[in-house]
Amino acid sequence: MLFTGTHIHKLDRKGRVSVPKRFRAALESETFAGIYLYESPKQVALEGCSESHMERIAASLDALDMFSDEADDLADTILGASHMLPFDGEGRIILPPELIEFAQITDQVAFVGRGRTFRIWNPDIYKPLQTASRTRTLNRGSTLKLGPFVAPAKPATHTPPSEEDAS
């Protein structure tokens, strides 16, 4: 599952927005037909992910000291404030008013891929931040060391039993 690109979509009066087709395709293998969203703890944006990624977040929280302030704060910020938003028949979700208000979204929504996750922004807020990120990257001369290639898992295929298997 990989979320890439920046996709601008209109938000209607009822808070509905179409999720980019590429994002929906990446989520097809999930048991929940929709997305998880919560307020970003670092940006005026919404953090979005799949159910399996949310399970990874929960497992990571389980690795923290139980009842520690850090575990409590992160659980409240992420799990306690997340919304499960199912797709409708047209591939849309309904953004709750509190998320629209937090992200200062008006009439358009920018879905921004971040690999295994994505963010939802007001495009007018995101554009200057994107430009600033690119400038910092160029000024730093940032590079990326690629990890080893891991071939994607192939879907299982059914092969009929051979005569040897039957005996």
Side-chain angles (χ1 to χ4, degrees), residues 3-22:
F3 300 105
T4 61
T6 298
H7 312 269
I8 309 293
H9 289 255
K10 288 198 174 286
L11 181 72
D12 74 12
R13 291 187 323 257
K14 297 179 181 177
R16 295 178 301 199
V17 63
S18 293
V19 175
K21 186 175 182 178
R22 293 185 65 199

Side-chain angles (χ1 to χ4, degrees), residues 1 3 27 30 36 38 47-60 78-79 114-118:
M1 174 177 321
F3 300 105
L27 293 160
E30 296 286 321
Y36 282 77
Y38 57 94
E47 302 285 343
C49 64
S50 65
E51 184 171 46
S52 59
H53 192 81
M54 190 58 77
E55 289 172 356
R56 287 182 62 202
I57 291 171
S60 297
I78 299 172
L79 299 178
R114 298 180 54 83
R116 305 284 180 234
T117 64
F118 57 92

Side-chain angles (χ1 to χ4, degrees), residues 4-11 17-20 23 35 37 44-48 93 95 103-114 118-127 130:
T4 61
T6 298
H7 312 269
I8 309 293
H9 289 255
K10 288 198 174 286
L11 181 72
V17 63
S18 293
V19 175
F23 285 27
I35 62 175
L37 283 182
V44 180
L46 306 175
E47 302 285 343
I93 56 168
L95 290 176
Q104 300 175 22
I105 293 169
T106 54
D107 60 339
Q108 290 188 320
V109 176
F111 287 83
V112 180
R114 298 180 54 83
F118 57 92
R119 283 189 178 149
I120 293 179
W121 293 86
N122 171 327
D124 295 333
I125 294 173
Y126 175 66
K127 187 64 178 163
Q130 181 186 36

Side-chain angles (χ1 to χ4, degrees), residues 66-102:
M66 196 162 132
F67 304 119
S68 70
D69 290 343
E70 183 179 26
D72 287 346
D73 290 346
L74 286 169
D76 290 343
T77 300
I78 299 172
L79 299 178
S82 68
H83 297 258
M84 287 177 67
L85 304 176
F87 298 132
D88 69 10
E90 296 177 31
R92 299 174 300 189
I93 56 168
I94 298 174
L95 290 176
E98 63 270 21
L99 294 183
I100 292 171
E101 182 180 343
F102 174 83

Side-chain angles (χ1 to χ4, degrees), residues 149-153:
F149 176 76
V150 178

